[in-house]
Amino acid sequence: NLVIIIGAGICGLATALALHKKGIKSLVFERSENLRNTTGTAIGILRNGWRALDQLGVADVLRRTGFPILRYLVFFSLSTKPNRANIL
């Protein structure tokens, strides 16, 4: 059996990796011929995301190459004042 995955974004690739770890073959289809927005891109990963990356076996590599987010600002569209939130 083969699982077809549409989209080679974060979710598609994570799904393919998870299936591979379970011994299930998959095939990922992506319509884009190359990476988009390859400059100035960042991905913020909160605690539940790190747990998922631990399960996939890739969190240690990412921890060594990334840096922790210690604080972030949230802006709501109905407000002009930021709401500060500590992650720790």
Side-chain angles (χ1 to χ4, degrees), residues 1-5 19 23-29:
N1 292 338
L2 181 70
V3 175
I4 303 297
I5 300 170
L19 290 170
I24 300 169
K25 293 182 181 182
S26 66
L27 182 60
V28 180
F29 286 93

Side-chain angles (χ1 to χ4, degrees), residues 36-83:
R36 293 171 293 219
N37 195 16
T38 57
T39 59
T41 302
I43 299 173
I45 303 169
L46 299 177
R47 288 185 178 134
N48 61 338
W50 285 110
R51 284 191 291 273
L53 293 171
D54 278 325
Q55 290 290 315
L56 292 171
V58 297
D60 289 338
V61 171
L62 295 174
R63 282 187 183 99
R64 288 193 301 269
T65 59
F67 59 92
I69 299 171
L70 302 177
R71 176 174 259 188
Y72 67 96
L73 295 175
V74 177
F75 290 89
F76 296 98
S77 62
L78 300 176
S79 173
T80 58
K81 292 184 180 181
N83 295 301

